[in-house]
Amino acid sequence: SEDPHLVAELGKHYIRGVQAVGLIATPKHFAAHNQETHRRDIDVQVDERTLRELYLPAFRAAVVEAGALSVMAASHIVNGEPCTENPFLLRQVLKEEWNFEGVVVSDWKCMNSTVASIEAGLDLEMPKPRFYGTALLDAVRDGKAWSTKPFGEFSGSSSWRDSSIESAGSTRPPFTPWSISNWRSRSRAPLWCC
């Protein structure tokens, strides 16, 4: 929408409602997603002021005000970097400035790398592992992806907490997405996307 305030207000109430019944809401497509045609090929060129005034307010409201427990990275490129590999968007804005401790997921089949994505702050590849799973284990073993951190602490935040499902108020049995089950050895936090 062209109205960031309207989207923020509608979105945060929707997210609260979804999570009130034990599901994890996943606002998408983070960020500056304007079109579906050639969605993986476009490179959105946007200055930081425009990004912060038009494209980020709804996501900020979703994360900071509504407590969204998951965010989906967009499939396109922003200022020369794919959203799934964009440390400014995922790490600096989402995880550091907004203190987001939830799960950052890729859009379906929209990842392009292992190391760049994990280092930028992407937690989960959807719908199945091509760049995570075995490729991520190999990157860690080879010292290419945060080899100094124990398994399960790749995102740089406390993302994969056992408490995430309790935060959503769910009493559902745990479910571990198979695309992360090989490299997450400690926490078995469930993931419920909507």
Side-chain angles (χ1 to χ4, degrees):
S1 168
E2 293 78 23
D3 187 337
H5 178 72
L6 175 64
V7 174
E9 287 299 309
L10 290 172
K12 70 183 181 184
H13 292 288
Y14 178 82
I15 290 164
R16 287 176 184 150
V18 167
Q19 293 188 166
V21 296
L23 299 172
I24 293 178
T26 305
K28 61 179 188 175
H29 297 97
F30 188 68
H33 181 77
N34 290 325
Q35 69 182 51
E36 286 296 308
T37 305
H38 304 291
R39 61 187 259 170
R40 293 199 65 196
D41 304 326
I42 61 167
D43 186 351
V44 177
Q45 296 296 308
V46 59
D47 63 81
E48 188 171 346
R49 179 178 177 182
T50 304
L51 190 64
R52 290 186 182 274
E53 290 181 3
L54 294 178
Y55 296 106
L56 297 182
F59 286 102
R60 185 183 183 287
V63 169
V64 175
E65 296 177 44
L69 296 171
S70 180
V71 171
M72 180 181 282
S75 57
H76 61 274
I77 300 164
V78 172
N79 295 332
E81 292 186 282
C83 289
T84 57
E85 301 172 12
N86 195 311
F88 172 75
L89 290 174
L90 301 182
R91 183 160 308 288
Q92 182 180 325
V93 173
L94 187 61
K95 293 188 176 189
E96 293 173 7
E97 291 178 22
W98 299 346
N99 296 313
F100 180 68
E101 293 184 347
V103 180
V104 180
V105 301
S106 71
D107 199 348
W108 257 231
K109 299 180 183 179
C110 291
M111 282 185 57
N112 302 302
S113 73
T114 300
V115 176
S117 293
I118 200 71
E119 289 184 351
L122 190 84
D123 298 306
L124 176 64
E125 178 179 14
M126 297 300 282
K128 61 183 181 176
R130 292 183 307 147
F131 295 99
Y132 282 10
T134 303
L136 181 56
L137 276 174
D138 292 343
V140 171
R141 286 187 188 124
D142 295 342
K144 296 177 183 174
W146 288 351
S147 61
T148 60
K149 293 198 174 203
F151 287 112
E153 291 186 10
F154 290 99
S155 69
S157 72
S158 53
S159 293
W160 297 97
R161 291 184 174 171
D162 287 327
S163 63
S164 64
I165 203 66
E166 287 85 19
S167 297
S170 179
T171 57
R172 295 172 188 234
F175 166 74
T176 302
W178 62 280
S179 60
I180 60 164
S181 62
N182 289 334
W183 62 271
R184 266 195 55 234
S185 63
R186 285 186 286 170
S187 174
R188 292 289 182 225
L191 178 66
W192 303 98
C193 294
C194 58

